């Protein structure tokens, strides 16, 4: 049994990860930004670099999932919030891991946005970073893990793709429209979507906890699908059409620069995961949509 402390434990991925780790017998500590009340809670204030270190003295692995939602309109003030909400928690947990010596591991979230908009180019962990706001944000986010890496701790950084779950994740805003049969592709539709099911996201993070993997790791299914293919396949699994697309100009009018996130094309390849022996529960679009339909039917 390992002791694992998780920042960002209340989000979609964090909630599922906590359940998964506890089900297999791990002790999980949830880092909370309020007064710790429950026995499994540890207080912290990453904006000040504060963490209740004594409560974490037995931690084997820190998992960092913290970060403000990327899907809102990117005003200048919200850009600063996006950056701070990622860099400050990451740096705090990196220093916490370093304080415990090399036995402690840091598993830290990152994003496919590191690569920028790259068309159909296959993007492995060895590919160069891209340009634009998201790429620069992710570079600073990943750089915040340095205190742990420089102290000799194992650090794995997972560059996650678009997490798929019914009514949540990347499909969350689209799900009601798809269920009504009035949804459709956003922007050109030809942009490659590097997706991963919530099940495989949690399994992959657990794999990084358990295995001696360091450095960046792409978290995306091995399938390569366009945005339009994903949306139409999900709609078909719900027995609905997906005919009503939204043009890029309309998205930009509503969302401003955030449109760059929606229309970016990133052919992300999970090379490190596959080379380490990880197998996906949902490696293809058919596998994904069958799972989504089952979850919807059981809801």
């Amino acid at each position: 049994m390992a002791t694992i402390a998780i920042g960002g434990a209340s989000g979609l991925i964090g909630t599922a990860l906590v359940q998964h780790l506890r089900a297999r017998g791990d002790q999980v500590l949830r880092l909370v930004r309020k007064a710790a009340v429950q026995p499994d809670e540890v207080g912290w204030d990453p904006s000040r670099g504060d963490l209740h270190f004594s409560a974490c003295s037995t931690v084997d692995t820190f998992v960092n999932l913290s970060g403000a939602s990327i899907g809102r309109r990117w005003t200048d003030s919200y850009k600063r919030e996006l950056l701070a909400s990622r860099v400050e928690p990451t740096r705090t947990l990196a220093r916490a891991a370093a304080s415990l010596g090399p036995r402690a591991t840091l598993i830290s979230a990152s994003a496919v946005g590191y690569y920028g908009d790259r068309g159909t180019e296959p993007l492995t962990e060895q590919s160069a970073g891209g340009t634009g706001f998201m790429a620069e944000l992710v570079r600073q986010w990943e750089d915040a893990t340095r205190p742990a890496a420089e102290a000799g701790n194992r650090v794995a950084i997972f560059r996650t793709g678009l997490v798929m779950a019914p009514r949540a994740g990347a499909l969350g805003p689209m799900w009601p429209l798809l269920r009504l049969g009035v949804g459709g592709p956003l922007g050109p539709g030809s942009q490659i979507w590097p997706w991963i099911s919530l099940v495989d996201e949690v399994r992959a993070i657990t794999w990084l906890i358990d295995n001696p993997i360091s450095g960046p790791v792409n978290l995306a299914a091995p399938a390569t699908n366009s945005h339009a293919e994903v949306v139409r396949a999900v709609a078909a699994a719900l027995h609905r059409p997906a005919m009503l697309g939204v043009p890029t100009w309309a998205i930009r009018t509503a969302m401003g620069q955030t449109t760059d996130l929606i229309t970016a094309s990133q052919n992300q390849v999970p090379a490190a995961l596959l080379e380490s022996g990880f197998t996906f529960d949902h490696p293809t679009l058919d596998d994904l949509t069958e799972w989504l339909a089952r979850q919807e039917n059981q809801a």
Side-chain angles (χ1 to χ4, degrees), residues 150-290:
E150 291 174 351
N153 302 89
R154 180 172 73 88
V155 177
I157 300 170
F158 57 97
R159 294 173 180 162
T160 194
L162 301 168
V163 178
M164 300 289 174
R167 301 174 298 280
L171 291 174
M174 306 176 65
W175 197 262
L177 297 176
L178 291 172
R179 289 188 66 210
L180 292 171
V182 294
L186 303 176
S190 58
Q191 67 269 35
I192 296 176
W193 255 28
W195 59 265
I196 183 169
S197 73
L198 178 59
V199 170
D200 281 331
E201 176 82 2
V202 168
R203 291 181 59 249
I205 295 170
T206 305
W207 182 262
L208 296 179
I209 292 171
D210 293 344
N211 291 276
I213 302 168
S214 300
V217 182
N218 286 343
L219 264 58
T224 300
N225 301 106
S226 71
H227 168 67
E229 288 173 337
V230 173
V231 171
R232 288 169 181 153
V234 172
L238 298 174
H239 306 291
R240 298 290 190 273
M243 303 299 293
L244 302 177
V246 182
T248 301
W249 66 265
I251 303 172
R252 194 167 296 279
T253 298
M255 298 296 292
Q257 191 181 354
T258 315
T259 306
D260 296 342
L261 176 70
I262 298 169
T263 61
S265 183
Q266 295 153 329
N267 185 11
Q268 189 182 23
V269 179
L273 268 184
L274 294 174
E275 289 169 4
S276 70
F278 181 82
T279 58
F280 287 82
D281 278 359
H282 306 125
T284 71
L285 187 54
D286 285 344
D287 295 319
L288 172 69
T289 54
E290 287 174 10

Side-chain angles (χ1 to χ4, degrees), residues 57-194:
S57 61
T58 62
V59 167
D60 300 297
T61 301
F62 293 93
V63 178
N64 175 37
L65 300 170
S66 301
S69 171
I70 204 74
R72 286 177 46 184
R73 190 181 182 96
W74 294 346
T75 62
D76 288 345
S77 62
Y78 196 61
K79 284 182 179 180
R80 291 191 291 271
E81 182 177 343
L82 287 172
L83 180 62
S85 70
R86 285 160 172 76
V87 169
E88 291 168 354
T90 303
R91 185 180 295 122
T92 300
L93 293 185
R95 289 172 175 167
S99 73
L100 296 179
R103 70 167 185 81
T105 295
L106 174 63
I107 309 296
S108 189
S110 180
V112 66
Y114 172 85
Y115 301 108
D117 187 352
R118 304 283 278 273
T120 61
E121 176 189 353
L123 301 170
T124 71
E125 293 84 356
Q126 304 307 312
S127 299
T131 59
F133 168 69
M134 271 303 299
E136 179 56 32
L137 181 151
V138 175
R139 270 193 289 273
Q140 294 187 48
W141 188 5
E142 294 188 0
D143 284 348
T145 65
R146 284 185 179 178
E150 291 174 351
N153 302 89
R154 180 172 73 88
V155 177
I157 300 170
F158 57 97
R159 294 173 180 162
T160 194
L162 301 168
V163 178
M164 300 289 174
R167 301 174 298 280
L171 291 174
M174 306 176 65
W175 197 262
L177 297 176
L178 291 172
R179 289 188 66 210
L180 292 171
V182 294
L186 303 176
S190 58
Q191 67 269 35
I192 296 176
W193 255 28

